[in-house]
Amino acid sequence: MPALLVLAPLAASGPSFGADSTGPNLVKNSSLESGHHFPDCFQASGWGTRGTWAFSSGREGGRSLTVTVEGYASGDRKAMQTENAGCAPSVTPGQVYNLGVWYQSTVPVSITTFRHTSAGWSYWGDLGTVSPTTEWQEAKATTPAVPEGTDQIAFGLSIAATGQLTTDDYSLYATSTGTPPPAAGELVVNGNLSTGTPLPDCFITGGWGTRTVTQGLTPDVPATASPGSRSYGITVSDYASGDTKLLQAETAGCAPSVMPGAKYNLSIDYKSTAAKNSITIFTHTAAGWGYWTDLSQVAPTHTWAVAAGTTPPIPEGVDAISFGVSIGADGTLLTTNYSLKESTVPPPPAGTPAEIGSWEVFNAPVPLRAIHSTLLSDGRLLLIAGSGNEGSAFTAGTFKASIWDPDTGTFDPVPVPYDMFCAGHVTLSDGKVLIGGGTESYPTTDEGPTTFKGSKASYYFDPEDSSFHKISDMAGAHWYPTMTKLGNGDVWSAGGLDEKAEGTVLTEMFQSSTMTWLPSGSVPQTWSFWGTYPHMYLLEDGRMFYAGAHTFGNGLPGTGASLYDWKSAQIWDVPGLRQKDLRDQAGSVLLGPAQDQKVMIVGGGNTETNIPAINLVDIIDLKQENPAYVPAPDLPGPGKLYVNVLNLPDRTVLAADGAQHNRSGNVQTAAIYQPTSNSWLSIGADPVGRNYHSSAILLPDGRVAIFGSNPLDNSFDLRISVYSPPYMFNGTRPSIASAPATATYGQQITLDTTGTIKAAQLMSPMSATHQTDTNARLVDLPMTTSGGTINASIPSNPNLLPPGPYMLTVLDSNNLPSIAKWVWIS
């Protein structure tokens, strides 16, 4: 990219935003009354085509000064304060000043300023353009904060055309209020652009290339903006090359200071009609200023959104940065609310593996992009990529799946008959894995980046022969659908995008007895759009709970969470969910035991507005007569979306991985929620930063395997992280010597165990994608003990325990869980 080029600002439209003035007028001989051939303490300045100077009648009696330019070819002419110590106004660095000149003119004229330092006098900048007028009017502007090292300034009106300009009554006053200092932790001065005219204080415009640019301040700001906020508008036309942007002024006190090695979270409120916009950053070293990076592209939007990201570690030798949104196409860009804060991550918690567990990374690469992961009833994992978010793979028809054996570390490829990328999936009552929907087509160039079209295709995967088998299509197409298993083993499905890349309102039902999808007319329809991958939990009364977590953008209308009777197609809002529009790619979980009917939602963000993610945690008790979310302790550390949340067999909850922004700004923290104390225990983080397209699966031995990460550059992490919780290191774990392979509802089963057992439980094998597996649950088995023999009761309510394979574990008096045995419930 070419070096930064500072552009002179054009006239701002709309009202004047000057600050109140205070103190004396700093201009000597301001009404031009003294002086014989030319007003005292003023000089005729300019270059190019010469002008003729003469005195004229003053605005309020006395005299004024007129310059006449004929046959204009180049340059300008202006009267300014004489550039010497006795005449040019003295100023204070950091102070903001209001200046004014009364004038009459036959052509537009510019407000021009110069400044003095120990190196001499130099051009400072044009502060706007004023229109021709036959009546006396005041041209006025507010300067930026005076830069360090400046002790005097001079100013005047410049005429740069054939015409006549008359001036009188010059004024310069210090403002009564300077630029407010930023809030604690904020590094951008005047981030809401509230002071300074026509350029905001501590900001400059920059750019390069061939294009026509108009720009200026505007009162159009987001509804959430602080009082006094303004935005800066840049309109580009006749675009051929280059870009234009508003940046922090590259002077001490304005450009944010940074520390080498640190990362910083930046954000800018914006809206743009241009097809190309990006977050651009410059850095300062001892050698001066230079371009660093374009952090990310930001999408056009007709409503206010947030361009945000986290910088890479600041390079050695860099002490300041300057950033903004660059517009690189025809259109209009508005920006405001510039923010830069250090990205603070809590230090790794101290503790032994027995206290906080430990992580291991399997660096042997996974042979595919593991976007969908399912634990099979034989302990292997089915990993599906489909096209894996690679358009070239889709075009080539290269669709991938593989089976990973955690015991041997081997991968066995599986032929994939269609693009299962972003399908729905669930483990059926017979252990097969149902796959439905997926990708029918990728976006075309003229359609935009989010217009994937959904597929109707459906298959099941059979662990017996490790292959996919075709079944009937779904009634409609779905990309990003959710599948929820019901108490009778059938599967409810809804959500996602249809064959037109539009949100589908179609509800689907898979009948497990016939292995077919029912016609849409045979399924109760709400004709409501549930979003993409909506987090939908089956409750003990057969209804469902939509937790408010989803993928992409804002939450649903209303409170953002709801109870849903799929049989009668009725929906009721549930109150209490905080920041419902920041629950995009949040984590959620049905807390164990499922009999408590409590759901937790953790973190989230908004990948469309890219507002920094949150660390809020809410819990709802659905056994209450009027259930409502209530706040729980915040997730430790910075906010994040892409949070992998799951039950552990000691009845705690792991929350790991995530990022602060859309596919960027990884937040490498992890914590364990302890329901008995309603508190979080910070643990070591996954060594691999993971965001979009990551998923986590509980293994039968109690470890957790985490796959994938697909950041903004569309790379994909092919390592597997495995977390061993503290119970893996706290002495001898209990064991199950024998257990039945099958059980029925209401049956009492006998277990032979070792250890002092206090609880028995069944956990469903996970099938996760996009931090979503709403079929995962831990179900308590009421029990009695006699020596090492356990008599445990299978719940009689299949809505608590839908039929299928489960991992059976017992928990001893020290909260150590056993390795699981498989039991089939029917």
Side-chain angles (χ1 to χ4, degrees):
M1 172 175 281
L4 175 66
L5 170 66
V6 176
L7 302 177
L10 303 183
S13 60
S16 170
F17 294 96
D20 293 337
S21 301
T22 186
N25 184 357
L26 300 176
V27 179
K28 296 181 179 180
N29 191 27
S30 60
S31 62
L32 315 179
E33 296 304 316
S34 65
H36 182 55
H37 297 292
F38 209 82
D40 291 341
C41 275
F42 278 77
Q43 64 186 33
S45 301
W47 63 282
T49 304
R50 289 188 169 274
T52 302
W53 295 92
F55 287 115
S56 305
S57 298
R59 181 175 71 93
E60 294 180 334
R63 66 182 186 179
S64 60
L65 184 65
T66 297
V67 59
T68 302
V69 176
E70 297 178 342
Y72 177 82
S74 64
D76 67 18
R77 290 294 145 183
K78 49 196 174 272
M80 303 180 67
Q81 298 78 44
T82 306
E83 293 176 345
N84 62 38
C87 287
S90 296
V91 292
T92 303
Q95 177 65 53
V96 175
Y97 292 84
N98 287 334
L99 60 83
V101 182
W102 287 86
Y103 79 102
Q104 296 173 331
S105 179
T106 61
V107 294
V109 291
S110 300
I111 306 171
T112 302
T113 62
F114 286 72
R115 68 188 183 102
H116 180 264
T117 67
S118 58
W121 283 92
S122 62
Y123 171 72
W124 188 15
D126 279 8
L127 299 184
T129 301
V130 292
S131 301
T133 176
T134 57
E135 303 294 329
W136 283 104
Q137 291 190 18
E138 187 178 22
K140 52 187 179 179
T142 301
T143 71
V146 173
E148 287 295 325
T150 300
D151 56 8
Q152 289 179 287
I153 65 172
F155 67 93
L157 299 186
S158 300
I159 181 172
T162 297
Q164 190 173 78
L165 166 67
T166 301
T167 59
D168 196 1
D169 296 331
Y170 289 64
S171 63
L172 183 72
Y173 295 94
T175 59
S176 58
T177 56
T179 303
E186 176 59 64
L187 299 176
V188 177
V189 177
N190 193 31
N192 67 353
L193 314 184
S194 61
T195 64
T197 303
L199 269 176
D201 293 340
C202 271
F203 280 80
I204 58 173
T205 51
W208 63 280
T210 303
R211 69 271 186 264
T212 301
V213 178
T214 57
Q215 53 193 314
L217 285 161
T218 162
D220 184 356
V221 295
T224 56
S226 58
S229 295
R230 301 177 293 175
S231 66
Y232 196 79
I234 299 172
T235 297
V236 173
S237 58
D238 305 319
Y239 179 85
S241 64
D243 65 26
T244 311
K245 56 254 178 191
L246 182 72
L247 302 155
Q248 295 77 50
E250 297 172 343
T251 58
C254 287
S257 297
V258 293
M259 296 183 296
K263 296 181 180 181
Y264 292 83
N265 297 325
L266 61 82
S267 64
I268 305 167
D269 286 1
Y270 82 103
K271 60 181 179 179
S272 177
T273 62
K276 184 179 180 182
N277 314 274
S278 60
I279 302 174
T280 303
I281 310 177
F282 292 79
T283 56
H284 181 263
T285 66
W289 283 93
Y291 168 76
W292 183 22
T293 185
D294 271 24
L295 188 63
S296 64
Q297 301 294 313
V298 293
T301 172
H302 290 274
T303 59
W304 282 101
V306 178
T310 301
T311 69
I314 300 297
E316 285 298 323
V318 171
D319 58 10
I321 66 173
S322 178
F323 67 94
V325 175
S326 299
I327 175 173
D330 285 342
T332 297
L333 166 72
L334 271 63
T335 57
T336 188
N337 291 340
Y338 288 68
S339 174
L340 185 75
K341 298 179 180 179
E342 185 176 359
S343 179
T344 56
V345 176
T352 65
E355 294 169 322
I356 61 173
S358 71
W359 291 88
E360 180 182 7
V361 178
F362 296 170
N363 287 310
V366 179
L368 76 169
R369 295 181 163 203
I371 289 171
H372 307 269
S373 50
T374 301
L375 177 65
L376 303 175
S377 55
D378 56 15
R380 300 177 301 159
L381 276 82
L382 172 65
L383 306 177
I384 299 174
S387 60
N389 204 22
E390 289 187 284
S392 59
F394 179 84
T395 301
T398 307
F399 308 136
K400 293 182 179 181
S402 186
I403 296 176
W404 176 53
D405 189 331
D407 294 330
T408 64
T410 57
F411 294 91
D412 295 320
V414 178
V416 180
Y418 82 106
D419 193 1
M420 297 178 179
F421 171 57
C422 293
H425 41 89
V426 63
T427 300
L428 297 171
S429 56
D430 59 3
K432 297 181 176 69
V433 182
L434 175 66
I435 312 290
T439 303
E440 182 66 27
S441 67
Y442 271 62
T444 60
T445 302
D446 59 346
E447 288 178 320
T450 58
T451 52
F452 283 85
K453 293 183 173 68
S455 170
K456 294 182 178 182
S458 186
Y459 282 72
Y460 70 83
F461 177 84
D462 190 345
E464 292 293 326
D465 61 13
S466 296
S467 61
F468 292 102
H469 299 264
K470 180 78 171 92
I471 54 177
S472 67
D473 286 349
M474 304 178 79
H478 297 264
W479 186 76
Y480 278 65
T482 289
M483 293 186 175
T484 302
K485 187 160 63 171
L486 304 177
N488 63 358
D490 291 349
V491 176
W492 172 96
S493 183
L497 304 185
D498 62 15
E499 70 281 357
K500 298 179 181 179
E502 299 172 348
T504 178
V505 297
L506 186 65
T507 300
E508 306 264 9
M509 188 66 67
F510 179 78
Q511 190 174 64
S512 59
S513 61
T514 60
M515 294 293 284
T516 58
W517 291 94
L518 297 180
S520 59
S522 300
V523 182
Q525 299 289 337
T526 63
W527 305 116
S528 299
F529 178 50
W530 285 106
T532 46
Y533 282 140
H535 290 212
M536 192 74 72
Y537 292 90
L538 177 67
L539 302 180
E540 62 181 354
D541 64 4
R543 294 183 300 171
M544 296 187 193
F545 174 62
Y546 169 60
H550 57 280
T551 302
F552 301 141
N554 291 340
L556 296 183
T559 63
S562 53
L563 285 166
Y564 163 48
D565 187 336
W566 64 270
K567 293 179 181 179
S568 63
Q570 291 180 286
I571 302 171
W572 302 269
D573 271 0
V574 171
L577 179 63
R578 295 177 292 170
Q579 295 282 3
K580 78 175 183 70
D581 291 331
L582 290 178
R583 297 297 187 167
D584 178 352
Q585 306 200 66
S588 72
V589 64
L590 178 64
L591 293 173
Q595 285 91 336
D596 289 349
Q597 296 286 276
K598 291 182 178 180
V599 172
M600 167 190 278
I601 185 169
V602 179
N606 191 309
T607 54
E608 292 179 3
T609 63
N610 213 17
I611 294 171
I614 59 175
N615 65 351
L616 299 181
V617 179
D618 293 322
I619 295 176
I620 188 169
D621 182 350
L622 293 156
K623 294 177 75 71
Q624 297 293 317
E625 183 177 353
N626 296 300
Y629 270 113
V630 296
D634 291 347
L635 186 67
K640 54 185 178 178
L641 64 168
Y642 312 113
V643 190
N644 286 300
V645 180
L646 73 163
N647 284 306
L648 297 175
D650 64 352
R651 303 194 180 188
T652 62
V653 175
L654 174 67
D657 307 298
Q660 194 155 50
H661 299 290
N662 179 16
R663 303 176 71 178
S664 65
N666 289 346
V667 178
Q668 286 178 260
T669 59
I672 292 176
Y673 177 69
Q674 301 169 103
T676 55
S677 61
N678 189 30
S679 64
W680 289 96
L681 169 68
S682 292
I683 62 172
D686 185 342
V688 179
R690 300 185 186 274
N691 54 61
Y692 189 50
H693 285 151
S694 65
S695 60
I697 299 290
L698 177 69
L699 302 178
D701 64 2
R703 297 178 298 162
V704 177
I706 303 183
F707 307 87
S709 185
N710 190 190
L712 202 57
D713 62 5
N714 208 33
S715 61
F716 201 92
D717 201 294
L718 299 177
R719 294 170 288 177
I720 301 174
S721 296
V722 175
Y723 176 63
S724 296
Y727 50 70
M728 305 285 289
F729 307 97
N730 273 305
T732 303
R733 295 170 65 183
S735 65
I736 303 173
S738 66
T742 62
T744 58
Y745 294 105
Q747 179 184 351
Q748 187 176 85
I749 61 175
T750 300
L751 313 175
D752 290 327
T753 63
T754 64
T756 304
I757 307 303
K758 70 174 186 180
Q761 59 210 14
L762 292 172
M763 299 186 74
S764 54
M766 294 184 68
S767 183
T769 186
H770 295 73
Q771 299 77 51
T772 307
D773 179 11
T774 57
N775 294 290
R777 57 186 57 214
L778 183 157
V779 181
D780 181 64
L781 303 182
M783 50 164 274
T784 59
T785 63
S786 176
T789 300
I790 304 294
N791 294 311
S793 297
I794 305 298
S796 58
N797 183 355
N799 293 325
L800 270 178
L801 196 69
Y806 284 86
M807 294 184 288
L808 170 67
T809 58
V810 293
L811 197 61
D812 73 8
S813 57
N814 295 316
N815 284 324
L816 302 182
S818 67
I819 293 174
K821 285 191 175 296
W822 288 96
V823 176
W824 291 74
I825 304 298
S826 60

